[in-house]
PDB file of all heavy atoms in Angstrom:
ATOM      1  N   GLU L 194      18.131  -6.617  -9.966  1.00 94.00           N
ATOM      2  CA  GLU L 194      17.472  -6.852 -11.262  1.00 94.00           C
ATOM      3  C   GLU L 194      16.616  -8.124 -11.160  1.00 94.00           C
ATOM      4  O   GLU L 194      16.997  -9.101 -10.519  1.00 94.00           O
ATOM      5  CB  GLU L 194      18.545  -7.053 -12.341  1.00 94.00           C
ATOM      6  CG  GLU L 194      17.977  -7.124 -13.766  1.00 94.00           C
ATOM      7  CD  GLU L 194      19.131  -7.172 -14.774  1.00 94.00           C
ATOM      8  OE1 GLU L 194      20.052  -6.329 -14.681  1.00 94.00           O
ATOM      9  OE2 GLU L 194      19.070  -7.995 -15.655  1.00 94.00           O
ATOM     10  N   ASP L 195      15.426  -8.057 -11.749  1.00 93.00           N
ATOM     11  CA  ASP L 195      14.533  -9.205 -11.775  1.00 93.00           C
ATOM     12  C   ASP L 195      13.913  -9.261 -13.148  1.00 93.00           C
ATOM     13  O   ASP L 195      12.975  -8.577 -13.434  1.00 93.00           O
ATOM     14  CB  ASP L 195      13.458  -9.089 -10.676  1.00 93.00           C
ATOM     15  CG  ASP L 195      12.565 -10.279 -10.639  1.00 93.00           C
ATOM     16  OD1 ASP L 195      12.787 -11.245 -11.387  1.00 93.00           O
ATOM     17  OD2 ASP L 195      11.598 -10.285  -9.821  1.00 93.00           O
ATOM     18  N   GLY L 196      14.532 -10.042 -14.020  1.00 96.00           N
ATOM     19  CA  GLY L 196      14.033 -10.126 -15.392  1.00 96.00           C
ATOM     20  C   GLY L 196      14.158  -8.781 -16.122  1.00 96.00           C
ATOM     21  O   GLY L 196      15.246  -8.221 -16.184  1.00 96.00           O
ATOM     22  N   ARG L 197      13.048  -8.288 -16.543  1.00 97.00           N
ATOM     23  CA  ARG L 197      13.040  -7.024 -17.272  1.00 97.00           C
ATOM     24  C   ARG L 197      13.057  -5.790 -16.362  1.00 97.00           C
ATOM     25  O   ARG L 197      13.104  -4.662 -16.837  1.00 97.00           O
ATOM     26  CB  ARG L 197      11.806  -6.955 -18.169  1.00 97.00           C
ATOM     27  CG  ARG L 197      11.731  -8.045 -19.228  1.00 97.00           C
ATOM     28  CD  ARG L 197      10.481  -7.929 -20.116  1.00 97.00           C
ATOM     29  NE  ARG L 197       9.255  -8.175 -19.359  1.00 97.00           N
ATOM     30  CZ  ARG L 197       8.383  -7.225 -19.039  1.00 97.00           C
ATOM     31  NH1 ARG L 197       8.584  -5.968 -19.406  1.00 97.00           N
ATOM     32  NH2 ARG L 197       7.285  -7.563 -18.405  1.00 97.00           N
ATOM     33  N   PHE L 198      13.023  -6.009 -15.091  1.00 97.00           N
ATOM     34  CA  PHE L 198      12.935  -4.906 -14.113  1.00 97.00           C
ATOM     35  C   PHE L 198      14.245  -4.712 -13.370  1.00 97.00           C
ATOM     36  O   PHE L 198      14.819  -5.666 -12.898  1.00 97.00           O
ATOM     37  CB  PHE L 198      11.804  -5.208 -13.096  1.00 97.00           C
ATOM     38  CG  PHE L 198      10.433  -5.320 -13.728  1.00 97.00           C
ATOM     39  CD1 PHE L 198      10.030  -6.525 -14.253  1.00 97.00           C
ATOM     40  CD2 PHE L 198       9.590  -4.278 -13.776  1.00 97.00           C
ATOM     41  CE1 PHE L 198       8.789  -6.648 -14.859  1.00 97.00           C
ATOM     42  CE2 PHE L 198       8.308  -4.367 -14.346  1.00 97.00           C
ATOM     43  CZ  PHE L 198       7.917  -5.582 -14.892  1.00 97.00           C
ATOM     44  N   THR L 199      14.644  -3.449 -13.262  1.00 97.00           N
ATOM     45  CA  THR L 199      15.863  -3.126 -12.549  1.00 97.00           C
ATOM     46  C   THR L 199      15.560  -1.995 -11.594  1.00 97.00           C
ATOM     47  O   THR L 199      14.984  -0.965 -12.009  1.00 97.00           O
ATOM     48  CB  THR L 199      17.007  -2.686 -13.488  1.00 97.00           C
ATOM     49  OG1 THR L 199      17.328  -3.706 -14.393  1.00 97.00           O
ATOM     50  CG2 THR L 199      18.275  -2.318 -12.690  1.00 97.00           C
ATOM     51  N   ALA L 200      15.917  -2.164 -10.337  1.00 96.00           N
ATOM     52  CA  ALA L 200      15.708  -1.127  -9.351  1.00 96.00           C
ATOM     53  C   ALA L 200      17.022  -0.651  -8.808  1.00 96.00           C
ATOM     54  O   ALA L 200      17.972  -1.436  -8.628  1.00 96.00           O
ATOM     55  CB  ALA L 200      14.855  -1.696  -8.206  1.00 96.00           C
ATOM     56  N   GLN L 201      17.119   0.662  -8.562  1.00 95.00           N
ATOM     57  CA  GLN L 201      18.351   1.238  -8.001  1.00 95.00           C
ATOM     58  C   GLN L 201      18.021   2.200  -6.899  1.00 95.00           C
ATOM     59  O   GLN L 201      16.983   2.843  -6.902  1.00 95.00           O
ATOM     60  CB  GLN L 201      19.156   1.877  -9.128  1.00 95.00           C
ATOM     61  CG  GLN L 201      19.746   0.899 -10.103  1.00 95.00           C
ATOM     62  CD  GLN L 201      20.770   1.490 -11.029  1.00 95.00           C
ATOM     63  OE1 GLN L 201      20.533   2.583 -11.576  1.00 95.00           O
ATOM     64  NE2 GLN L 201      21.881   0.839 -11.188  1.00 95.00           N
ATOM     65  N   LEU L 202      18.960   2.340  -5.981  1.00 94.00           N
ATOM     66  CA  LEU L 202      18.853   3.242  -4.852  1.00 94.00           C
ATOM     67  C   LEU L 202      20.009   4.205  -4.818  1.00 94.00           C
ATOM     68  O   LEU L 202      21.178   3.789  -4.966  1.00 94.00           O
ATOM     69  CB  LEU L 202      18.794   2.441  -3.554  1.00 94.00           C
ATOM     70  CG  LEU L 202      18.983   3.208  -2.255  1.00 94.00           C
ATOM     71  CD1 LEU L 202      17.842   4.192  -2.018  1.00 94.00           C
ATOM     72  CD2 LEU L 202      19.075   2.229  -1.062  1.00 94.00           C
ATOM     73  N   ASN L 203      19.738   5.471  -4.670  1.00 92.00           N
ATOM     74  CA  ASN L 203      20.785   6.488  -4.498  1.00 92.00           C
ATOM     75  C   ASN L 203      20.532   7.183  -3.209  1.00 92.00           C
ATOM     76  O   ASN L 203      19.717   8.141  -3.113  1.00 92.00           O
ATOM     77  CB  ASN L 203      20.760   7.467  -5.682  1.00 92.00           C
ATOM     78  CG  ASN L 203      21.922   8.449  -5.613  1.00 92.00           C
ATOM     79  OD1 ASN L 203      22.255   8.974  -4.555  1.00 92.00           O
ATOM     80  ND2 ASN L 203      22.540   8.730  -6.757  1.00 92.00           N
ATOM     81  N   ARG L 204      21.215   6.729  -2.162  1.00 90.00           N
ATOM     82  CA  ARG L 204      20.963   7.296  -0.801  1.00 90.00           C
ATOM     83  C   ARG L 204      21.445   8.753  -0.719  1.00 90.00           C
ATOM     84  O   ARG L 204      20.850   9.571  -0.032  1.00 90.00           O
ATOM     85  CB  ARG L 204      21.649   6.460   0.263  1.00 90.00           C
ATOM     86  CG  ARG L 204      20.906   5.186   0.616  1.00 90.00           C
ATOM     87  CD  ARG L 204      21.482   4.558   1.901  1.00 90.00           C
ATOM     88  NE  ARG L 204      20.817   3.323   2.233  1.00 90.00           N
ATOM     89  CZ  ARG L 204      19.717   3.224   2.974  1.00 90.00           C
ATOM     90  NH1 ARG L 204      19.179   4.333   3.455  1.00 90.00           N
ATOM     91  NH2 ARG L 204      19.179   2.069   3.269  1.00 90.00           N
ATOM     92  N   ALA L 205      22.536   9.068  -1.388  1.00 90.00           N
ATOM     93  CA  ALA L 205      23.096  10.436  -1.313  1.00 90.00           C
ATOM     94  C   ALA L 205      22.106  11.452  -1.839  1.00 90.00           C
ATOM     95  O   ALA L 205      21.916  12.524  -1.265  1.00 90.00           O
ATOM     96  CB  ALA L 205      24.393  10.499  -2.072  1.00 90.00           C
ATOM     97  N   SER L 206      21.435  11.100  -2.922  1.00 91.00           N
ATOM     98  CA  SER L 206      20.448  12.034  -3.531  1.00 91.00           C
ATOM     99  C   SER L 206      19.030  11.696  -3.129  1.00 91.00           C
ATOM    100  O   SER L 206      18.095  12.350  -3.532  1.00 91.00           O
ATOM    101  CB  SER L 206      20.560  11.963  -5.069  1.00 91.00           C
ATOM    102  OG  SER L 206      21.867  12.321  -5.493  1.00 91.00           O
ATOM    103  N   GLN L 207      18.896  10.649  -2.308  1.00 92.00           N
ATOM    104  CA  GLN L 207      17.573  10.265  -1.772  1.00 92.00           C
ATOM    105  C   GLN L 207      16.573   9.999  -2.864  1.00 92.00           C
ATOM    106  O   GLN L 207      15.479  10.601  -2.862  1.00 92.00           O
ATOM    107  CB  GLN L 207      17.057  11.317  -0.748  1.00 92.00           C
ATOM    108  CG  GLN L 207      17.927  11.325   0.500  1.00 92.00           C
ATOM    109  CD  GLN L 207      17.464  12.309   1.601  1.00 92.00           C
ATOM    110  OE1 GLN L 207      18.233  12.658   2.462  1.00 92.00           O
ATOM    111  NE2 GLN L 207      16.234  12.655   1.560  1.00 92.00           N
TER     112      GLN L 207
END
Side-chain angles (χ1 to χ4, degrees):
Chain L
E194 187 174 312
D195 183 3
R197 298 181 293 109
F198 299 84
T199 300
Q201 291 192 313
L202 167 65
N203 186 318
R204 282 194 181 270
S206 301
Q207 294 184 199

